[in-house]
Amino acid sequence: MILKVLSKEDVLSEKVRQLTDLSLQRPLIRLNSERFKYYVTSQPRNYSVFVMLTALAPERKCGICQDAHNEYELVARSYRYSNAFSKSVFFAMVDFDEASDIFQSLKLNSAPVFIHFPPKMSPKKSDYMDIHRREFSAEQVAKWVHEISDIRIQLIRPPNYTQFLPIVLIITAIFLLFYIKRETPKIVYSPIIWGIITVGLVCYYISGQTWNRINKPPFTSQRKTDMGLFADDSNMQYVAETYIVRKHTISIDISSNNSWL
């Protein structure tokens, strides 16, 4: 019986081929302990792997893990279908319940954690993404990836039509006022109308809409177990949460200024 011994070049070529096939099937490669050691930490390796280590099981009570996973998956999917896709960079994830020994070997006691594993060496401190400083939105993850690998990822985020709802409501309210009053000049110079518009703008910015436009968070929590309206982390908020805050602020303004009405 003759055993064929593969050269390092053959092993590397096979690893790259398998990772490429996995990426084509599913942009975010799911790794267990065996796969992680083979593809990410063992040599030979001439490619980079961005890995998110997380804990998605509900019993782990990681409030932000599912949201971080969705944002990270958006980056991986956008990369997969972009012109930047190559055989030199791959995106993967490790779940605690499928590879707890990996967390122990990396001395991790929290999740989620984003790590860049460069080719031919172990990750340094600069290869860890600081989610407390950057947050974990897809935009911030893509920016971090670009800083490390020079790969610019154009995010393909599904359109969020709910962001146009406030504009539609404001326009509708203005048309209703014009229709009811039918006295345009008086309305234009009315301090009450301008007061309402001013309060509306103030409530718009207080509620966090500017943050939403910059970071583009999801409308609600994307967890499969529940549809949360309020984020569990101080560095995150949902669009629905800002609507609730805005409505609450407007209610307070109206109740404290009954003389307007």
Side-chain angles (χ1 to χ4, degrees), residues 214-230:
I214 295 173
N215 295 278
K216 297 180 175 60
F219 185 75
T220 59
S221 172
Q222 303 297 305
R223 303 173 202 163
K224 297 179 180 179
T225 54
D226 67 303
M227 187 182 70
L229 299 178
F230 296 91

Side-chain angles (χ1 to χ4, degrees), residues 4 6-7 50 52 62 68 114 168 174 181 187 226 229 256:
K4 182 180 180 181
L6 296 177
S7 64
F50 289 91
M52 179 184 70
C62 178
F114 299 88
V168 173
I174 292 174
K181 290 289 186 178
I187 292 177
D226 67 303
L229 299 178
S256 60

Side-chain angles (χ1 to χ4, degrees), residues 90-160:
F90 299 97
F91 287 83
M93 63 158 290
V94 175
D95 190 275
F96 179 82
D97 291 302
E98 298 174 1
S100 59
D101 57 316
I102 301 301
F103 281 74
Q104 295 173 4
S105 64
L106 295 173
K107 299 179 181 179
L108 300 177
N109 54 16
S110 63
V113 177
F114 299 88
I115 307 176
H116 167 244
F117 289 83
K120 301 179 181 179
M121 64 180 68
S122 300
K124 305 183 295 294
K125 184 178 180 180
S126 58
D127 289 308
Y128 286 72
M129 178 178 170
D130 186 356
I131 64 173
H132 298 291
R133 181 173 64 89
R134 291 178 175 269
E135 303 171 352
F136 55 79
S137 66
E139 287 74 16
Q140 290 297 326
V141 174
K143 182 179 179 181
W144 172 65
V145 170
H146 174 64
E147 292 173 356
I148 292 179
S149 64
D150 288 332
I151 293 179
R152 189 178 297 276
I153 301 174
Q154 184 67 37
L155 297 177
I156 308 173
R157 189 184 288 274
N160 181 14

Side-chain angles (χ1 to χ4, degrees), residues 25-206:
Q25 296 171 15
R26 190 173 184 179
L28 184 55
I29 303 171
R30 199 177 186 107
L31 302 175
N32 55 22
S33 296
E34 183 179 352
R35 277 184 164 187
F36 181 86
K37 294 173 183 177
Y38 178 68
Y39 291 120
V40 180
T41 59
S42 67
Q43 295 294 339
R45 194 175 76 248
N46 66 348
Y47 51 84
S48 295
V49 184
F50 289 91
V51 180
M52 179 184 70
L53 296 105
T54 186
L56 296 177
E59 55 268 23
R60 297 301 173 189
K61 298 181 180 180
C62 178
I64 64 174
C65 282
Q66 185 62 56
D67 297 322
H69 172 269
N70 294 335
E71 294 294 294
Y72 183 68
E73 187 175 34
L74 173 62
V75 175
R77 187 169 59 250
S78 300
Y79 168 70
R80 159 65 181 84
Y81 294 104
S82 71
N83 294 329
F85 180 75
S86 69
K87 298 180 180 180
S88 60
V89 174
F90 299 97
F91 287 83
M93 63 158 290
V94 175
D95 190 275
F96 179 82
D97 291 302
E98 298 174 1
S100 59
D101 57 316
I102 301 301
F103 281 74
Q104 295 173 4
S105 64
L106 295 173
K107 299 179 181 179
L108 300 177
N109 54 16
S110 63
V113 177
F114 299 88
I115 307 176
H116 167 244
F117 289 83
K120 301 179 181 179
M121 64 180 68
S122 300
K124 305 183 295 294
K125 184 178 180 180
S126 58
D127 289 308
Y128 286 72
M129 178 178 170
D130 186 356
I131 64 173
H132 298 291
R133 181 173 64 89
R134 291 178 175 269
E135 303 171 352
F136 55 79
S137 66
E139 287 74 16
Q140 290 297 326
V141 174
K143 182 179 179 181
W144 172 65
V145 170
H146 174 64
E147 292 173 356
I148 292 179
S149 64
D150 288 332
I151 293 179
R152 189 178 297 276
I153 301 174
Q154 184 67 37
L155 297 177
I156 308 173
R157 189 184 288 274
N160 181 14
Y161 297 106
T162 57
Q163 63 182 335
F164 299 107
L165 181 61
I167 299 175
V168 173
L169 291 176
I170 291 173
I171 294 175
T172 303
I174 292 174
F175 274 104
L176 284 175
L177 285 172
F178 282 134
Y179 178 77
I180 294 173
K181 290 289 186 178
R182 298 185 183 180
E183 297 178 5
T184 304
K186 291 184 179 180
I187 292 177
V188 170
Y189 295 105
S190 171
I192 296 177
I193 298 301
W194 285 109
I196 292 174
I197 294 175
T198 302
V199 170
L201 290 174
V202 170
C203 293
Y204 176 87
Y205 289 106
I206 288 178

